[in-house]
Amino acid sequence: MFFNFAVLLAGAGFAVAQSLSSQCQSALVNTAASSSATCLNPSGLISLVVTNSNSSSIIPGVNTWLSGLCSQATCSNSTLQTIVTDIISGCSTELSSLGVTTNSTAIVTSIQAAYPTVRQLMCLKDTSTSTLCVPELLTNTQSSTTTLSLNNMVALVTKLVSGQNTGIPSSAACTNCTKAAYTVLNQGLPGVASTARSSFSSECGTNYTDGQMPSGIQETASNSSSTTRSSGASALSVGSLKMGATAVVAVSAVFAIFA
């Protein structure tokens, strides 16, 4: 499943960043330097990973990277296939160590299917604060927990995957942005959204999964509608773990970084 792959990779990505094999490093560098990868704004992603220390917040870097990504044209299926195949080939050892089955055909197909919805979700913007939703949710989380440095993001995702209490209050996660995210996810990937409906409704209320977009949320992804819409909250499933509103905050962030 695409989201299993993405969350697993995201959760361990920072932890193994300094111990990648030379083959994997080459694959990532070559992908970032490829003109075909422009649609993912790789320069912004590299800057995010390279310039952030283990004590500074990743939020400014995430905002810069996503702002650039959302202004780029959509990746084509052929581009996604090339990028994913190259990374799987070069980083097969690292991915296998994370428990990811490196069946390139299956992963490419699922990524191609999920990419439009994920991109739409990552480019949602709160017009009341003029802020992209992912950085806004990260800021809420940071204000309620601790500085979201690279190391702390790894620790947070580890808790999510193991089902531990993250300490993120519902007040930080149950916002118009997360309601919008759920609506987008339910429209594009209803099977994924359905696994989280119950836990999300119990945490934020049934109005968060009613399919209605909240006011003040705008889709900013290039080549998509620029009209302001109303939305719902995103909850992802990793294996048998169902993630509610508090989980979507951190998962959205790490997923964005390693989408």
Side-chain angles (χ1 to χ4, degrees), residues 131-150:
T131 305
L132 288 172
C133 280
V134 170
E136 181 175 290
L137 291 170
L138 286 176
T139 299
N140 291 346
T141 301
Q142 181 170 266
S143 298
S144 303
T145 55
T146 186
T147 300
L148 294 183
S149 64
L150 300 183

Side-chain angles (χ1 to χ4, degrees), residues 68-254:
L69 182 149
C70 294
S71 66
Q72 297 292 335
T74 305
C75 294
S76 66
N77 277 345
S78 60
T79 293
L80 292 174
Q81 179 176 7
T82 298
I83 293 172
V84 174
T85 300
D86 288 348
I87 292 177
I88 290 175
S89 176
C91 302
S92 58
T93 299
E94 285 79 4
L95 293 173
S96 295
S97 70
L98 298 177
V100 177
T101 301
T102 53
N103 181 331
S104 60
T105 301
I107 292 176
V108 167
T109 299
S110 59
I111 286 180
Q112 289 174 335
Y115 168 74
T117 299
V118 173
R119 180 171 179 269
Q120 182 182 2
L121 188 156
M122 292 304 166
C123 295
L124 293 173
K125 180 179 181 179
D126 185 345
T127 59
S128 68
T129 60
S130 297
T131 305
L132 288 172
C133 280
V134 170
E136 181 175 290
L137 291 170
L138 286 176
T139 299
N140 291 346
T141 301
Q142 181 170 266
S143 298
S144 303
T145 55
T146 186
T147 300
L148 294 183
S149 64
L150 300 183
N151 283 346
N152 288 339
M153 281 299 296
V154 172
L156 184 59
V157 173
T158 299
K159 287 183 178 180
L160 288 172
V161 174
S162 62
Q164 299 177 48
N165 183 0
T166 62
I168 306 173
S170 295
S171 59
C174 299
T175 67
N176 280 350
C177 275
T178 46
K179 188 179 192 301
Y182 183 88
T183 299
V184 169
L185 192 69
N186 191 50
Q187 292 171 348
L189 299 169
V192 176
S194 66
T195 65
R197 180 182 297 274
S198 177
S199 58
F200 195 89
S201 294
S202 64
E203 187 174 336
C204 292
T206 56
N207 63 309
Y208 270 75
T209 57
D210 61 8
Q212 300 299 311
M213 293 287 279
S215 61
I217 302 299
Q218 184 180 35
E219 295 178 11
T220 67
S222 176
N223 298 328
S224 69
S225 172
S226 60
T227 57
T228 299
R229 302 175 54 188
S230 21
S231 164
S234 159
L236 309 183
S237 175
V238 183
S240 59
L241 172 65
K242 291 183 179 179
M243 298 185 179
T246 55
V248 74
V249 176
V251 172
S252 292
V254 293

Side-chain angles (χ1 to χ4, degrees), residues 17-38:
Q18 296 182 346
S19 59
L20 295 176
S21 66
S22 58
Q23 181 180 5
C24 184
Q25 290 181 41
S26 295
L28 294 173
V29 169
N30 291 337
T31 296
S34 171
S35 59
S36 63
T38 302

